[in-house]
Amino acid sequence: MGRTGPRAPHDADRHGLFPSREQSLVLRGALGDGPDALRAYEAWLAMVDMSRDFDREVFRLIPLLYENLRRLGHQDALTGRLKGTYRLAWAKNHRLFDGTRPVLDRFLAAGLRVMALKGAPLALCYYGNLGVRPMSDVDFAVPGDQAEAASQILAELGYRPWRTLDGDVKRFRHAVGFKAPGQKEVDLHWHMLVDLCDDTADDVFWQTAQPFRFLGRDILAPDPSRLLLLTIIHGLRWNPEPPVRWIPDAVMILRHGRQPIDWDWLVGFATERHLTYRLHLGLAYLTRQFAADVPPSALARLAGVQPTLRERLELRTLLKPLRYESAMGPLLDALAEFPRLPGIGGPFRTAGAFTHFLRFHWGLSGRREIPRRVLQGLRRRTTAGAAGARN
Amino acid sequence: MSSRAEWVINAPNAVSEVIDGELVVINLEKGRYYSSEGIGSYLWQCVEQQVRADAALAALTDGFGLAPERARSDMEAFLEALRREGLIREAGPDDILTSDAPGVSGQAYAPPELKVYSDMQDLLLLDPIHDVGEEGWPVKPRTPAE
């Protein structure tokens, strides 16, 4: 059975979802081998203006680029500065990790079950190198019923959340970022992913989690199959500045190879959770651009799943600039996210629940503000659109 | 300080990596960054591998054809710098030492030197492409007077 929606090659050309030309060259330089990597690096040098700031995503790839060029024995006038970005990332990551030591100690002393997500396990287990993957925070997950206790510990250690962990945040979000003086940042997760705010999805991750030695303590990390899913689904979203770090992260997981990826589980879980399109899009891109070792049968099975109405609605806002450009973008954005929330059912089943979610999503003090906010947004975007057309 | 004293890394305060032959170390407690090349990097590896001081000294004298007194003097000065910065500590009864020193590569001998960057908080704010010298972060650009 084939798809009726747009296919990967069409979307792959869309700027804002997949890497720009500059980002692609740096990625090839950072992940490629032999002459191809060097050609990409030289092509990037030819197009980049060194006197200006780099694209943020490009900047975050430079340490990995340095490491790959070093591996290939390449040196030039820029090598010292590239090496400096590696040293800086290495130093910052060590400081960041060290800053979370008291947090981890208190979590464990309180008997919390702790899983490290994203950067820490990726850097230590898959890149095997703290210098090549810059990070700005450390992600810890705890089971949903331990989130308040973890939040309380963070508060006692001087961390402040960007949003108080109340009932709505717990229900509608998967994590909250906490900051403390001294550039200490922790993301506290009670669900693994914004797309999976659901205890039943979390159970799979906890059941398959693996021991992870972090800062001399024994905690958990997702196994490679679950981490690959998190990496691709978290990363593959439209943004004016395309997020590209998911690409080297996923490539490193796939290249690591010490444990096989459970492709049957990935396809099955993605199907059950309405994630097949994005997972296929990401894996197909990795295979096409970086010769990632993805079985054709897994790609074919993912491609053969017809996206559900719910998934198609979601894809309209996640993979395209709709939420930024359309007058109805914010409303469609909320409509797309709403059906994933547990215990709600279809998007229009519970008008009360949706308006409550809208109030939360838009940061309003009450539901009465919703119509006014919708009208304000429509007026602003329509005016901006008309001005753009005149110019 | 005598080379008869045995030294180990002061973990977890001191973390290190050798990047393309260059040793980089952070003292997380003091917030300082250090680097050393060549023999400094080699001696750090000896401490990291918990090589007995006499074995490290023998590797230096044999590997570089140095007079024992010079090798001892250079090594002790470097270890003292590391100790002063809190990067190494004297080995205790639980530390298992070895007499197998790593091989000395074909590098030319130069006395080991520890470069200290004490203002790490400020250094972390530097743009590592535009605010640094050709050597890259954390080395700031040389002023004309230098």
Side-chain angles (χ1 to χ4, degrees), chain A residues 50-54 59 66 70 80-81 83-88 90-92 94-95 98 101 129 183, chain B residues 12 15-17 19-20 22 24 26 28 33 120-121 124 126-130 132-138:
Chain A
M50 285 292 165
S51 66
R52 303 183 64 162
D53 285 345
F54 290 169
F59 185 74
Y66 162 74
R70 188 197 62 74
R81 285 188 168 86
K83 184 177 182 181
T85 66
Y86 178 105
R87 292 191 197 102
L88 178 60
W90 177 85
K92 278 187 168 179
H94 269 295
R95 276 173 56 96
D98 189 59
R101 203 180 289 273
N129 186 332
Q183 284 96 46
Chain B
V15 291
S16 68
E17 183 169 327
I19 307 169
D20 205 14
E22 176 198 3
V24 293
I26 307 173
L28 291 165
Y33 178 94
M120 191 161 149
Q121 192 58 41
L124 291 175
L126 287 180
D127 173 338
I129 298 293
H130 302 102
V132 297
E134 277 186 11
E135 302 94 325
W137 188 93

Side-chain angles (χ1 to χ4, degrees), chain A residues 25 28-30 32-42 68-69 72:
Chain A
L25 290 172
R28 276 173 48 207
D33 206 3
D36 181 62
L38 295 178
R39 269 196 303 272
Y41 169 64
E42 278 156 15
N68 203 35
L69 295 175
L72 296 170

Side-chain angles (χ1 to χ4, degrees), chain B residues 1-9 46-48 50-51 53 79-80 83 88-91 97:
Chain B
M1 196 176 84
S2 156
S3 61
R4 287 194 199 106
E6 308 295 354
W7 300 95
V8 293
I9 304 295
C46 287
V47 178
E48 198 168 40
Q50 306 198 170
V51 175
L79 292 175
E80 171 59 15
R83 185 202 62 78
I88 59 174
R89 63 169 175 80
E90 213 161 330
L97 302 173

Side-chain angles (χ1 to χ4, degrees), chain A residues 5 23 31 34 52 79 82 103 113 139 143-144 184 204 207 225 253 258 263 273 279 284 288 328 339 353 367 371 389:
Chain A
Q23 291 169 338
L31 294 168
R52 303 183 64 162
T79 300
L82 299 184
V103 174
R113 208 168 174 213
D139 294 81
K184 294 175 187 166
V204 180
Q207 284 158 12
S225 304
I253 296 170
R258 210 170 292 163
W263 294 106
R273 300 285 170 169
L279 185 59
R288 202 166 53 246
M328 295 296 284
R367 287 175 172 143

Side-chain angles (χ1 to χ4, degrees), chain A residues 346-362:
Chain A
F348 305 109
R349 189 176 296 173
T350 320
F354 182 62
T355 52
H356 184 77
F357 172 69
L358 262 189
R359 184 192 63 73
F360 170 83
H361 195 65
W362 290 349

Side-chain angles (χ1 to χ4, degrees), chain A residues 176-197:
Chain A
V176 160
F178 287 76
K179 280 188 181 185
Q183 284 96 46
K184 294 175 187 166
E185 290 191 37
V186 168
D187 263 11
L188 176 67
H189 294 244
W190 50 94
H191 297 304
M192 302 297 155
L193 201 61
V194 68
D195 309 82
L196 298 170
C197 288

